[in-house]
Amino acid sequence: MNPSNHKKEGSPEPMDRKVYADNAATTAVSPQVLESMLPFYREIYGNPSSLYSLGQAARAPLEEARATVAQALGAKPNEIYFTSCGTESDNWAIKSAAKAGLKKGKNHIVTTAFEHHAVLHTCQALEKEGFTVTYLPVHRNGIVSAQEVEAALTDRTALVTIMYANNEIGTLQPIPEIGAVCRQHGVLFHTDAVQAVGQVEIDVKAQNIDMLSLSGHKLHAPKGIGALYVRSGVVLPNFLDGGAQERGKRGGTENVASIVGLATAIREACSTIAQRQARLIPMRDRLIAGLSKIDRSHLNGDPEKRLPGNVSFCFEGVEGESMLLLLDLNGISASSGSACTSGSLDPSHVLLAIGLPHEVAHGSLRLSLGDYNTEADVDYILEVLPPIIDRLRSMSPLWERIQKGELVYHLD
Ligand code: PLP
């Protein structure tokens, strides 16, 4: 089944169409992933720590899953820790590095202004404990340079944490270069690769990554499972004190079914990166080209150094939430960088970090394409979205002022 399109046979009505274009928010669990998980609910339900055969039957797949995840990242199995989500992996990595740094008199962290809140709020919590955090600007193209990272390092820097790919605007950071700079200066380097795994080639050794966070639900595994890679030799305090699971660092009976599902998903995603890119990039670029034709529309982030499926735009004189609601009425699931789930009326910190004025950031739209999207989905979005924007603008006092030239934004 293609979850993105539930169009009834022979029915041309647009309202029947469903286009799921929010794969950066989460993805559908794939049939292969689900199949691989089911035995661990039905037959192989033993506790992997139990010595009898039903327990040991769950232990072997758990360790095989660890090896699979490690292999996909170019790591060793004993460098992989299973967690409950990307947020947990980020917290564990950053707080561990901070704690280890403090023991050596290092209390400075370098990050960027447009990280996911899992990183930003962790850094802010550490600031309250006395850490100094440098939030590097990411410029209009949504990219930070390795030179800027290097310039921010001091002899008190304990950690550099910079995301591999941004979740809103999809921009890819120069991770290998940043990794090289950090290694050269002997500073730990963590990357939040939640959006990047399975989309771009990652090799933690070649790219000098000391710690990496990932999350299952972005790549067709279930929600509630993630992993943290930690290079052997890096000090990692316990996350959960308890039993001997995860080499004693994260107690708690393992979520075997989800761990196996994560491994299935990563094996599938990481062995088909080239095919995924070859399929998604032309679809992404066609969508970008089509939406660029809309008057006063602006692509957010670098046109090329971005995730294969990410399309992020701002439309002047349009309110993001209204756009999402009208898209939803037409069967299209998308997301906006403004207001968002927090219920706050502030525009997204990511869009502000790339220098967009508040009013423009409020008119943002993220379409994130994935494995189940088709060219027909792109056609449908290009058919439905422009009239929605026209309709919203016809009701917008802001748009009237923009058209009269009373409000001018210099963005491109
Ligand atoms: N980091 C990034 C870049 C993300 O996009 C997300 C989720 O949207 C997370 C971290 C958090 O992952 P999880 O939902 O698994 O906690």
Side-chain angles (χ1 to χ4, degrees):
M1 186 188 73
N2 174 357
S4 170
N5 185 2
H6 298 270
K7 188 168 176 260
K8 282 189 211 128
E9 274 306 300
S11 163
E13 281 89 56
M15 295 303 285
D16 275 357
R17 279 205 61 116
K18 291 272 181 262
V19 173
Y20 183 72
D22 204 15
N23 290 276
T26 198
T27 56
V29 171
S30 76
Q32 304 93 294
V33 166
L34 187 59
E35 276 305 310
S36 72
M37 293 173 66
L38 288 176
F40 299 93
Y41 290 119
R42 289 179 176 145
E43 300 98 23
I44 316 172
Y45 51 81
N47 187 322
S49 301
S50 300
L51 288 181
Y52 45 78
S53 49
L54 190 61
Q56 290 311 297
R59 159 77 38 204
L62 177 65
E63 293 314 322
E64 275 164 32
R66 200 183 304 282
T68 302
V69 173
Q71 198 188 3
L73 301 174
K76 291 180 271 176
N78 66 1
E79 295 175 317
I80 301 297
Y81 298 87
F82 291 113
T83 64
S84 69
C85 59
T87 302
E88 180 184 320
S89 301
D90 285 341
N91 269 263
W92 196 1
I94 295 168
K95 288 176 182 166
S96 298
K99 208 168 163 183
L102 211 51
K103 285 194 183 141
K104 297 183 198 154
K106 296 182 178 196
N107 65 347
H108 175 231
I109 294 170
V110 176
T111 187
T112 73
F114 81 159
E115 298 293 312
H116 190 274
H117 283 140
V119 168
L120 280 186
H121 289 170
T122 303
C123 287
Q124 285 160 11
L126 288 167
E127 278 183 296
K128 289 196 189 119
E129 291 179 20
F131 278 83
T132 307
V133 181
T134 301
Y135 298 93
L136 291 170
V138 284
H139 315 291
R140 187 74 184 91
N141 69 352
I143 295 175
V144 68
S145 73
Q147 290 75 15
E148 287 163 318
V149 174
E150 187 166 29
L153 299 178
T154 73
D155 54 5
R156 299 178 80 84
T157 308
L159 173 74
V160 169
T161 173
I162 293 180
M163 67 199 323
Y164 214 113
N166 184 269
N167 46 301
E168 284 185 37
I169 61 172
T171 46
L172 294 162
Q173 303 306 310
I175 293 300
E177 289 85 344
I178 295 172
V181 160
C182 292
R183 190 58 57 88
Q184 202 186 325
H185 289 267
V187 174
L188 277 182
F189 176 41
H190 165 252
T191 185
D192 173 341
V194 165
Q195 293 288 339
V197 174
Q199 304 291 331
V200 292
E201 296 288 350
I202 298 180
D203 183 323
V204 289
K205 303 294 173 196
Q207 298 174 357
N208 289 313
I209 297 167
D210 295 310
M211 292 184 279
L212 176 146
S213 304
L214 64 88
S215 177
H217 72 104
K218 309 292 183 180
L219 34 84
H220 302 290
K223 294 155 188 67
I225 186 70
L228 175 65
Y229 152 78
V230 182
R231 179 173 59 78
S232 53
V234 171
V235 180
L236 185 72
N238 294 359
F239 185 73
L240 292 176
D241 293 311
Q245 294 90 352
E246 300 303 298
R247 294 183 292 292
K249 298 205 172 290
R250 186 183 185 277
T253 303
E254 300 90 340
N255 182 354
V256 182
S258 290
I259 288 171
V260 169
L262 174 66
T264 309
I266 288 196
R267 188 191 303 110
E268 170 62 19
C270 292
S271 61
T272 52
I273 291 175
Q275 292 94 307
R276 182 163 304 101
Q277 291 180 348
R279 213 178 72 83
L280 288 184
I281 290 174
M283 282 162 65
R284 174 196 76 187
D285 290 348
R286 195 157 71 82
L287 206 41
I288 290 176
L291 298 183
S292 299
K293 288 187 195 141
I294 296 173
D295 191 20
R296 308 217 185 204
S297 66
H298 308 278
L299 175 69
N300 299 319
D302 194 275
E304 276 145 31
K305 291 180 187 140
R306 64 191 305 128
L307 287 169
N310 177 284
V311 175
S312 169
F313 267 84
C314 282
F315 303 101
E316 289 182 32
V318 173
E319 215 267 313
E321 276 68 44
S322 313
M323 190 162 38
L324 292 190
L325 290 176
L326 292 180
L327 283 170
D328 189 33
L329 283 176
N330 283 275
I332 299 173
S333 307
S335 98
S336 165
S338 58
C340 108
T341 46
S342 63
S344 127
L345 285 176
D346 293 335
S348 114
H349 67 284
V350 172
L351 300 176
L352 296 183
I354 60 169
L356 292 181
H358 277 235
E359 301 98 280
V360 178
H362 270 300
S364 72
L365 176 71
R366 178 188 70 185
L367 297 157
S368 43
L369 304 175
D371 287 345
Y372 297 130
N373 289 112
T374 61
E375 294 285 353
D377 292 345
V378 173
D379 292 337
Y380 183 59
I381 295 169
L382 288 174
E383 179 193 319
V384 166
L385 186 54
I388 288 179
I389 289 171
D390 285 346
R391 184 172 156 198
L392 291 173
R393 281 176 170 170
S394 70
M395 300 184 284
S396 157
L398 201 64
W399 180 242
E400 216 175 294
R401 292 183 59 205
I402 292 167
Q403 279 202 307
K404 282 185 192 156
E406 290 170 13
L407 267 178
V408 181
Y409 307 108
H410 300 285
L411 296 177
D412 296 317

